[in-house]
Amino acid sequence: MAAHFGRLRKGATTTAVAAVAVAALSASQAPGVTTDDLGRQAAGAAQPSGDAKTGGAGGGATGDSPYYTDLPPLKSPNPSPSASPTTGTTVSVGEAEAGIPATVLDAYKKAEAELRASKPGCNLPWQLLAAIGKVESGQARGGRVDASGTTYSPILGPKLDGNGFALIADTDHGAYDGDPAYDRAVGPMQFIPSTWAWAGRDGNGDGKKDPNNVYDAALAAGHYLCRFDRDLSVQSQMNAAILNYNNSTEYLNTVLSWLEYYRKGTHEVPDGTGTLPSHSSNSDPGASPSPTTPATPSTPSTPRTPSTPKPGGAGSTSPTPKPPAPSSPAPSPTPPTPTQTVDHLEDANTGKLTATAGSAFGTKVAVRAESKASKGVAKVRVRFTIIGDTDATFTGGESVATVVTGSAGTATAPALVAGEKTGDFTVRATVVGRVLGGLDYTATVTPRQADTLTRASDTALTCVPGGEFADQVELKATYKGAVAGKVAATATLIKSADDATENDKGPYFKDADGKTIRTLTDLTTDADGVLKLPKLYADDATGTFLLRVNTTGGAVLTVELKVAAAAS
């Protein structure tokens, strides 16, 4: 059953509410699962705002609006693996309250990654965003968001019209909250419009800053918490950031409780299946409850036929039965989201995934989200993940990419770029917000190659017995006519053109300790394809000797070295 709230008024953090919250904590009971589209109704009583940009008294990101007071269970949320009975896929199972809807969780983690890059000194943990999101909106009303992260219906607080709330006249002409007269707190992170106007961010790259989009709201909240060069790894600075978000000690303690809970472990649940808290800091126990949809009355029994008067008596009849009260129409079921209609993923003509180290793959991974009827499903988030011992990435340097399916249900991953590590790795495609079997693709990175080696000079390489060669051997590698940089090579002083085994006499190289060696491994051409070998020395043997250089890809060059006594 969805939670019902009484009339909301500012400052009603009562002993009764606190007792209920503590009782819930002590019993380790999480609220039941609900996806009530009414969501949070106590979301917006703001204090008169101070200077939001400088964190002045009052105001804050939410206008010090009401919030959910439910506390986390005492039991550790560490999930345990289990197998889905329908797909066999391993999923995480744990306390219901530890489950965070997939898209919402993705938004928190992406915001943390962006802040790690743009404000590394802030040390923002995504679990803090999750804690605030839980307290402010119950994780976007249990994850009722579409593929782009936007809530199916706006999350709005009550009018801040001075009637039981602070008076905040309209600042956005209704653009964010739909109210041209008064402001309301808006979205999964409950920003008031005057704060969103300067703090809003575009977290999902669609060119808009929408407070009802969980990616935008989470990134905005992260930047808001990281202001003033705060380091959130310092507890006092984290406390200050939370209080600046909503200026209440009770709020601070509630957020810190969820932060600690999520740090112990959490797991991803499908969108729309998260739990919704039931207690608000602004509930008024003394007020009449909010009107609810009346229950369908039971069917009345068949009225009795009036009794016949007995002879000689006054007789009596049963009262005329009243017609049954009309039944309330059953509420329309909530239509499934596109994600909930996906049955499986199919390959969408992905070709062979092969690339040379350091180059882009010529083929992209493409999949199609399909229903049970094998029809493409649009507006579904598909996550592509690179798995394995590789330094390959998607374009942009990321190892994970999320793409929304188009009208035909197809999602194409960004181009893969090979690193320097050679060998195979896996690209896995999964549906965000559903526990379904994914698709795995094997990608192969081959070594850089050269098919031609040439000397940079045609000067003869000569030396006297016991001396050293004046010129070092310098080569140029190419592949199909282009420079072949970073190509592996070996150089060996061989016995003859027909015997490529290492020679035991004649010219030689020296290792780091000055010892004689006649084979060099782990050689690599530079970015211009040039390979310059170390200095060569001669022993007492005279004659013509051969140096053979081989590269990955099959390029081979044999160089003559002549050792002869100096002319008298």
Side-chain angles (χ1 to χ4, degrees):
M1 178 182 293
H4 302 305
F5 298 94
R7 179 175 59 84
L8 307 182
R9 62 182 177 83
K10 183 66 183 172
T13 309
T14 64
T15 302
V17 172
V20 171
V22 172
L25 176 63
S26 301
S28 298
Q29 296 292 329
V33 174
T34 178
T35 56
D36 182 5
D37 273 343
L38 292 176
R40 174 180 171 189
Q41 298 188 27
Q47 296 280 8
S49 61
D51 184 355
K53 291 187 181 181
T54 59
T62 70
D64 294 340
S65 63
Y67 55 91
Y68 286 123
T69 58
D70 291 29
L71 295 173
L74 290 173
K75 186 177 179 181
S76 171
N78 291 329
S80 58
S82 178
S84 167
T86 56
T87 66
T89 305
T90 298
V91 297
S92 293
V93 178
E95 285 285 343
E97 285 293 340
I100 299 178
T103 299
V104 180
L105 179 60
D106 187 53
Y108 296 148
K109 291 185 176 182
K110 274 187 166 52
E112 179 199 55
E114 196 276 345
L115 268 299
R116 192 187 306 124
S118 62
K119 295 183 179 180
C122 178
N123 295 304
L124 171 76
W126 66 262
Q127 291 92 340
L128 176 57
L129 297 175
I132 291 176
K134 180 71 173 182
V135 170
E136 290 294 344
S137 68
Q139 311 298 19
R141 296 183 302 200
R144 294 288 298 164
V145 296
D146 63 18
S148 67
T150 301
T151 56
Y152 285 114
S153 58
I155 302 177
L156 299 174
K159 293 181 180 181
L160 303 181
D161 57 4
N163 183 20
F165 303 101
L167 176 61
I168 301 182
D170 174 65
T171 61
D172 65 332
H173 305 289
Y176 297 127
D177 56 14
D179 191 332
Y182 302 99
D183 271 353
R184 301 181 179 209
V186 184
M189 305 305 273
Q190 286 292 278
F191 279 94
I192 54 174
S194 57
T195 301
W196 184 263
W198 61 267
R201 293 291 192 279
D202 177 14
N204 63 350
D206 64 357
K208 297 183 294 184
K209 300 176 182 178
D210 181 1
N212 277 300
N213 181 278
V214 70
Y215 286 95
D216 295 358
L219 184 58
H223 278 279
Y224 188 94
L225 294 166
C226 287
R227 293 181 307 151
F228 313 128
D229 294 324
R230 289 190 182 108
D231 179 358
L232 300 186
S233 65
V234 177
Q235 190 62 52
S236 61
Q237 295 189 40
M238 176 182 283
N239 292 353
I242 297 171
L243 287 170
N244 190 220
Y245 201 90
N246 191 318
N247 190 20
S248 162
T249 302
E250 291 80 5
Y251 179 87
L252 169 67
N253 292 335
T254 305
V255 169
L256 291 178
S257 295
W258 283 106
L259 169 63
E260 181 63 22
Y261 184 73
Y262 286 137
R263 276 177 163 166
K264 290 179 180 178
T266 186
H267 58 277
E268 180 181 290
V269 298
D271 290 342
T273 65
T275 60
L276 188 66
S278 56
H279 303 99
S280 167
S281 67
N282 236 46
S283 296
D284 185 351
S288 300
S290 301
T292 61
T293 302
T296 302
S298 59
T299 303
S301 59
T302 304
R304 293 182 300 170
T305 303
S307 61
T308 303
K310 294 181 180 181
S316 65
T317 59
S318 299
T320 303
K322 296 180 180 179
S327 300
S328 299
S332 300
T334 302
T337 66
T339 299
Q340 291 170 334
T341 67
V342 177
D343 178 72
H344 59 276
L345 289 176
E346 285 288 338
D347 176 55
N349 298 319
T350 301
K352 188 175 182 180
L353 297 170
T354 303
T356 302
S359 65
F361 284 73
T363 301
K364 295 181 180 180
V365 178
V367 299
R368 188 169 185 259
E370 295 186 351
S371 64
K372 285 186 177 180
S374 296
K375 292 184 178 180
V377 183
K379 297 182 179 179
V380 173
R381 296 174 62 81
V382 176
R383 180 180 297 149
F384 298 94
T385 306
I386 295 175
I387 301 171
D389 182 18
T390 180
D391 53 357
T393 64
F394 293 112
T395 301
E398 299 293 334
S399 60
V400 178
T402 304
V403 180
V404 179
T405 59
S407 59
T410 301
T412 302
L416 284 164
V417 179
E420 295 304 321
K421 289 185 178 179
T422 60
D424 294 342
F425 64 91
T426 299
V427 179
R428 178 168 296 163
T430 55
V431 176
V432 177
R434 288 297 305 275
V435 180
L436 296 173
L439 291 181
D440 284 355
Y441 295 85
T442 300
T444 303
V445 179
T446 59
R448 297 172 185 264
Q449 302 179 46
D451 55 16
T452 304
L453 277 174
T454 57
R455 278 194 64 195
S457 169
D458 57 4
T459 303
L461 297 169
T462 62
C463 183
V464 297
E468 61 182 51
F469 287 80
D471 297 313
Q472 291 177 244
V473 177
E474 186 172 326
L475 309 174
K476 183 71 174 286
T478 57
Y479 182 70
K480 296 182 179 179
V483 168
K486 299 182 180 180
V487 175
T490 60
T492 306
L493 291 151
I494 61 176
K495 291 184 176 180
S496 69
D498 298 324
D499 186 355
T501 58
E502 182 181 289
N503 208 340
D504 55 2
K505 61 181 179 180
Y508 60 91
F509 301 104
K510 290 182 179 180
D511 64 13
D513 298 324
K515 295 180 180 178
T516 297
I517 56 173
R518 290 189 169 88
T519 298
L520 298 176
T521 58
D522 298 327
L523 300 173
T524 306
T525 63
D526 64 16
D528 296 322
V530 174
L531 177 63
K532 191 171 185 178
L533 300 182
K535 186 180 287 293
L536 278 161
Y537 303 87
D539 60 12
D540 293 335
T542 60
T544 299
F545 301 89
L546 300 179
L547 170 66
R548 180 163 292 172
V549 181
N550 300 271
T551 70
T552 303
V556 180
L557 180 65
T558 302
V559 180
E560 286 190 351
L561 306 172
K562 293 184 178 181
V563 180
S568 56

